[in-house]
Amino acid sequence: MAVHKVDGVDGVNHFPKKSVTLYCEASSISAGQWVMFGTDTTNGLGGSVKLATLVSTNGCSAVIGIATQTLTAAGNLVVQTAGKYEDAYVDTDIAVGLGISGCNTTAGSASLTDASTFQVIGVALETEGTSAGESGTAERADVMIIDQGFF
């Protein structure tokens, strides 16, 4: 089990992260965008991802994490599936402490969670926006990705 700790020697915060390399079938994806399972079978079912989009009104349970690199063509992609991620793509209504789901309104961006419809995939660690006390970047915020146990 991963544990957040502050090192007693140098005082550096350590946030455990979990990543996996999967085949990305998307033609273009940016670091910080949320991804979901894809249907490409290059690495077998469950071995590919694409930009997260709303699957149906039943939610986005196929969202598994955040792209950690930018791709301009299909290929292998490192996806962070748990832990703190800085400057993830989020919708404009994200505020610190709120549960977030994947991709309700904008492809690749996390949305506020409607607990009756969407699975919580993370928690906002800061408020989105450029005003005082916010993340400093529009539609970006630090998030804590909840490990869903897929990998």
Side-chain angles (χ1 to χ4, degrees), residues 114-128:
D114 173 356
S116 64
T117 306
F118 300 103
Q119 175 182 354
V120 176
I121 59 170
V123 176
L125 299 177
E126 63 184 349
T127 299
E128 173 279 334

Side-chain angles (χ1 to χ4, degrees), residues 7 14 51 73 97 120-121 131-132 134 141 146:
D7 190 303
H14 300 276
L51 191 63
V120 176
I121 59 170
S131 300
E134 296 179 338
I146 297 171

Side-chain angles (χ1 to χ4, degrees), residues 3-64:
V3 177
H4 169 76
K5 74 178 193 82
V6 176
D7 190 303
V9 177
D10 60 11
V12 176
N13 289 331
H14 300 276
F15 286 95
K17 297 177 181 180
K18 188 175 177 183
S19 297
V20 62
T21 301
L22 299 168
Y23 181 79
C24 181
E25 60 190 62
S27 59
S28 178
I29 194 160
S30 298
Q33 288 186 307
W34 294 81
V35 296
M36 63 190 288
F37 283 120
T39 56
D40 185 276
T41 58
T42 299
N43 292 334
L45 291 173
S48 68
V49 292
K50 61 183 180 180
L51 191 63
T53 57
L54 186 62
V55 175
S56 68
T57 55
N58 293 326
C60 297
S61 60
V63 176
I64 61 166

